Amino acid sequence: MALSSLPLSVGATVTTFIAEDYVFTGPEQLESGRQTVRLLNRGRDVHQIQFLALPSGKSITDVERALASRSPSLPNWLRRHGGVNSVAPGDEASVSMQLESGDYLLLCGIPDVAGRPHAMRGMVRALRVVEAAPSGEPAPRADATLRLTDFAFSLSGPLHAGARTVQLVNDGRQAHEAVVIRLAEGASAQDFIERYRPGGLPNSAGLESGGATGIDPGRQASMHLDLEPGRYGLLCFLADPVTGAPHFSRGMWMDIEVKMVLTPAEGS
């Protein structure tokens, strides 16, 4: 899936972060409101950028301590606001989301070959979001809505090839994400799950091709995709906070077929 031509609204401001092995570079401060964030991956591993709101009295140190404890999920006092998911080396992806003012943490939770999240190898940093007047910029027009529940995806309609914006709405009681997989010929999302190994190792069933990182119940985000015709998978890798089981193991995966849109002349 090529992501070089993002379907953003005219005049939209895009903030770029760069992922390497294992560090983020980008601005240290953003304004509140709707933000469109692009992640460029210049590393050799798959990376993501998750925006997490820190409550008063908590710091990066508290989060790093929780990660070191090998907890199956992030602390429940963190608030997931979204971000750009699963960008392959040399690629890029973009997401729009709503940010309130306050202190945030940016991290990559994708595991290395030893199962350690990249955040434990340095891919974690602070971000301040300052209060700003509403811009009046309209939300990007969505080509489809993807609803996230416990534990399933529901897409409002078909996705056609080309530049598309998909609005995510979390109707569940847990945080959820959407990882987009460009599937290999004849493969399915289940095949990708069965062949998945952490650490960016090649998966013969498909390639991670963007998506949106975790959003809390009731929150929304929009992922911007430039889709080629073919088969895609959607997966949620987030873990159940009690059992530690990934949501895809409870059925949160979906296969999608993307087709070309034929003009009347082409279809005749």
Side-chain angles (χ1 to χ4, degrees), residues 3-173:
L3 293 165
S4 58
S5 177
L6 302 174
L8 308 179
S9 59
V10 175
T13 301
V14 180
T15 300
T16 299
F17 289 86
I18 297 173
E20 300 180 81
D21 305 329
Y22 295 92
V23 66
F24 291 120
T25 56
E28 297 180 355
Q29 181 172 295
L30 293 176
E31 293 185 342
S32 63
R34 179 172 294 279
Q35 289 284 346
T36 298
V37 173
R38 178 174 62 172
L39 183 64
L40 303 178
N41 187 353
R42 293 182 179 169
R44 293 178 295 177
D45 204 346
V46 177
H47 292 300
Q48 64 175 202
I49 186 167
Q50 170 79 63
F51 282 67
L52 299 161
L54 285 166
S56 178
K58 295 294 184 179
S59 67
I60 289 181
T61 302
D62 296 310
V63 178
E64 290 175 333
R65 189 177 296 121
L67 289 171
S69 72
R70 291 289 196 174
S71 171
S73 60
L74 290 169
N76 59 13
W77 39 262
L78 285 170
R79 293 292 171 259
R80 297 178 185 262
H81 284 241
V84 186
N85 215 341
S86 297
V87 182
D91 212 338
E92 65 177 80
S94 174
V95 163
S96 296
M97 56 194 166
Q98 190 75 19
L99 298 177
E100 290 81 40
S101 58
D103 291 319
Y104 284 72
L105 189 72
L106 308 181
L107 63 74
C108 179
I110 293 176
D112 63 13
V113 292
R116 298 175 300 171
H118 294 168
M120 293 182 66
R121 301 188 63 176
M123 287 194 85
V124 56
R125 54 166 292 184
L127 177 78
R128 171 66 59 86
V129 175
V130 298
E131 189 68 35
S135 67
E137 180 184 316
R141 182 186 63 82
D143 297 284
T145 298
L146 180 67
R147 295 194 173 274
L148 319 176
T149 59
D150 308 331
F151 299 89
F153 293 110
S154 176
L155 191 61
S156 64
L159 284 176
H160 300 295
R164 305 297 171 198
T165 293
V166 179
Q167 182 185 35
L168 281 71
V169 180
N170 188 350
D171 291 328
R173 293 179 295 176

Side-chain angles (χ1 to χ4, degrees), residues 188-210:
S188 67
Q190 277 192 308
D191 293 329
F192 186 90
I193 292 168
E194 291 172 359
R195 302 173 197 176
Y196 174 76
R197 298 293 183 273
L201 299 176
N203 188 320
S204 61
L207 177 69
E208 293 95 334
S209 300

